[in-house]
């Protein structure tokens, strides 16, 4: 059987490589079939033993345009967890001292509650999402710190109020802090400058004081692929755990490419962060196919490589991270053109093309979720 499977895969690869991008075979949505030929599984969330998420905005959820109706159809079919791309970040919420606008987040939470979706809050503090008035705040450092404390506590408490049918908060978790590290060093930011390098500990303590049940995550990039960056994060986690600083999970942003990280990198990365015993969120997943600007359109060969990398990421997450630590995988966008790295059509990092048609990456990701080794 292994020989037959290898021959079939070889023939498929050769066929795809000789297809133009317009002729590229479209992957099927269907999964394994029952005896009557009816798929027993159809959508991404049905293949995973953990939540599968994507990003949303209040404006898209409210829109009845043709594109956004299609977006919502796919969202409810394929996913059971959502993250606000920008609407629940500080710059969109914190309008002034003790002045908060939670309306966009409230709309997202209401939609999630009505449709049985989990919400992951993203992100309370990030150096790239600071309202202008706060950057220019002329008060003392102590007053600045108090502003941040109030913002954290008020925001976390507010979004804890909306409950699902089981009495759990619809917003199940928060990225309390995003990208504290610059490489292996503490990033110089407005927060470190005004509150000291240990400001991160205060954020987690304030969030826990606001809600004893919400899961608190630290989120960063290059966690899987760069061991030195991962080591700095693991040292921080160890310090938190030794000093009773509340933390429930690690968000490992997976902004990667079709060649990197390697299989060994992925395996080691997931194993080392899982060794903390914390929840592991494979967050912000996208896979670039043109990191060296060597192609002008998505080729069949590159699409296959991207598909395999999506499969690797999903498979090894499910294989290595213990089930009780699997918080889920969140893909960072739907169509290629909506990606933050689309750059006018020079990369194609997501599961669906610009017409919402699934790419080979969709099949690869689905197979990985289903526990099929790449």
């Amino acid at each position: 059987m292994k020989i037959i499977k290898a021959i079939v895969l070889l023939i498929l690869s050769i066929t795809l490589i000789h297809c133009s991008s317009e002729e590229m075979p479209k992957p099927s949505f269907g999964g394994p079939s029952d005896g009557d030929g009816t798929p027993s599984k159809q959508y991404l969330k049905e293949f995973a033993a953990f939540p599968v998420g994507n990003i949303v905005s209040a404006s898209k959820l409210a829109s009845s345009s043709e594109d956004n109706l299609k977006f919502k159809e796919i969202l409810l079919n394929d996913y059971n967890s959502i993250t606000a791309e920008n609407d629940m970040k500080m710059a969109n919420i914190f309008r002034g001292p003790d002045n908060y606008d939670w309306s966009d987040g409230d709309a997202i939470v209401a939609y999630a509650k009505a449709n049985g979706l989990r919400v992951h809050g993203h992100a309370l503090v990030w150096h790239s999402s600071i309202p202008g008035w706060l950057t220019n705040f002329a008060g003392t450092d102590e007053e600045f710190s108090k502003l941040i404390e109030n913002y954290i506590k008020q925001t976390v408490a507010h979004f804890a109020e909306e409950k699902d049918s089981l009495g759990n908060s619809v917003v199940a978790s928060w990225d309390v802090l995003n990208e504290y590290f610059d490489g292996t060093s503490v990033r110089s930011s407005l927060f470190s400058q005004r509150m000291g390098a240990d400001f991160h500990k205060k954020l987690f303590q304030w969030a826990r004081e606001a809600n004893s049940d919400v899961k608190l995550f630290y989120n960063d990039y290059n966690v899987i692929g760069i061991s030195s960056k991962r080591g700095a994060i693991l040292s921080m986690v160890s310090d938190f755990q030794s000093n009773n600083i509340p933390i429930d999970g690690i968000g490992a942003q997976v902004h990667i490419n079709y060649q990197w990280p390697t299989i060994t990198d992925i395996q080691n990365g997931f194993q080392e962060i899982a060794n903390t015993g914390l929840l592991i969120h494979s967050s912000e997943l996208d896979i670039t196919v043109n990191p060296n600007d060597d192609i002008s359109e998505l080729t069949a060969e590159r699409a296959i490589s991207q598909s395999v990398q999506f499969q690797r990421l999903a498979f090894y997450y499910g294989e290595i991270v213990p089930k009780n630590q699997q918080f889920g995988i969140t893909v960072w966008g739907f169509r290629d053109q909506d990606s933050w790295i689309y750059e006018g059509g020079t990369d194609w990092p997501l599961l669906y093309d610009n017409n919402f048609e699934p790419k080979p990456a969709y099949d690869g990701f689905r197979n990985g979720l289903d526990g099929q080794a790449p």
Side-chain angles (χ1 to χ4, degrees), residues 28-29 42-44 78 351-352 358-366:
S28 64
F29 281 97
Q42 187 173 10
Y43 301 112
L44 293 178
D78 272 333
L351 301 178
Y352 313 90
K359 295 157 51 184
Y362 182 99
D363 270 357
F365 185 53
R366 180 197 61 193

Side-chain angles (χ1 to χ4, degrees), residues 32-43:
S33 296
D34 293 328
D36 61 358
T38 302
S40 58
K41 299 177 184 177
Q42 187 173 10
Y43 301 112

Side-chain angles (χ1 to χ4, degrees), residues 103-125:
S103 58
D104 287 335
D106 287 343
I108 289 170
V109 171
Y111 184 88
K113 182 177 180 178
N115 291 282
L117 301 169
R118 180 187 72 179
V119 176
H120 174 64
H122 174 81
L124 290 170
V125 172

Side-chain angles (χ1 to χ4, degrees), residues 323-335:
K323 292 191 182 303
N324 64 347
Q325 294 175 245
Q326 293 175 356
F327 186 77
I329 298 178
T330 296
V331 183
W332 209 245
F334 279 74
R335 296 180 300 177

Side-chain angles (χ1 to χ4, degrees), residues 63-320:
S63 171
S64 58
S65 72
E66 182 178 351
D67 277 357
N68 286 326
L69 288 175
K70 185 65 175 177
F71 154 75
K72 285 181 280 188
E73 176 188 356
I74 294 173
L75 174 67
L76 295 181
N77 284 339
D78 272 333
Y79 302 97
N80 48 20
S81 179
I82 57 176
T83 299
E85 183 176 14
N86 293 302
D87 288 349
M88 293 171 71
K89 291 175 179 172
M90 179 189 283
N92 195 53
I93 289 175
F94 205 5
R95 298 304 175 89
D98 298 314
N99 181 9
Y100 313 104
D101 183 352
W102 295 304
S103 58
D104 287 335
D106 287 343
I108 289 170
V109 171
Y111 184 88
K113 182 177 180 178
N115 291 282
L117 301 169
R118 180 187 72 179
V119 176
H120 174 64
H122 174 81
L124 290 170
V125 172
W126 181 36
H127 66 275
S128 290
S129 181
I130 304 174
W133 72 266
L134 185 61
T135 301
N136 300 320
F137 180 69
T140 66
D141 289 348
E142 183 178 359
E143 290 169 335
F144 180 93
S145 182
K146 190 63 177 177
L147 287 173
I148 303 304
E149 178 182 0
N150 290 343
Y151 154 74
I152 294 283
K153 290 182 175 179
Q154 293 291 329
T155 299
V156 171
H158 173 82
F159 284 109
E161 293 175 359
E162 199 66 56
K163 309 291 185 181
D164 63 20
S165 60
L166 299 176
N168 301 311
S169 294
V170 177
V171 179
S173 51
W174 274 100
D175 287 329
V176 177
L177 178 58
N178 198 46
E179 301 172 7
Y180 174 71
F181 291 99
D182 183 4
T184 59
S185 301
V186 175
R187 182 185 303 277
S188 177
S189 68
L190 179 66
F191 305 102
S192 65
Q193 293 161 14
R194 301 216 61 172
M195 299 171 62
D198 65 347
F199 78 91
H200 60 317
K201 299 178 182 180
K202 298 174 183 176
L203 303 183
F204 281 84
Q205 290 169 322
W206 292 334
R208 176 58 72 231
E209 290 171 18
N211 186 343
S212 60
D213 297 323
V214 69
K215 301 303 182 184
L216 307 179
F217 281 76
Y218 173 72
N219 193 56
D220 213 329
Y221 60 92
N222 289 343
V223 179
I224 300 299
I226 298 183
S227 60
S228 58
K229 177 74 169 284
R230 183 167 64 250
I233 293 168
L234 294 177
S235 293
M236 179 194 75
V237 168
S238 179
D239 178 60
F240 274 34
Q241 293 173 327
S242 297
N243 292 284
N244 296 316
I245 305 298
I247 185 170
D248 298 298
I250 297 172
Q253 296 178 22
V254 198
H255 299 300
I256 58 178
N257 68 52
Y258 73 103
Q259 294 176 310
W260 175 90
T262 66
I263 293 175
T264 300
D265 290 334
I266 294 171
Q267 292 172 324
N268 291 342
F270 279 136
Q271 186 62 65
E272 289 182 16
I273 59 175
N275 287 343
T276 63
L278 298 178
L279 295 169
I280 305 302
H281 184 197
S282 186
S283 64
E284 307 189 27
L285 172 61
D286 49 37
I287 299 178
T288 61
V289 293
N290 196 24
N292 299 315
D293 293 323
D294 61 329
I295 56 175
S296 58
E297 62 179 5
L298 179 59
T299 64
E301 181 178 13
R302 201 64 59 89
I304 293 170
S305 297
Q306 182 188 50
S307 178
V308 171
Q309 190 76 313
F310 267 107
Q311 185 170 354
R312 286 175 184 149
L313 192 285
F315 173 76
Y316 289 115
Y317 177 87
E319 182 79 5
I320 293 172

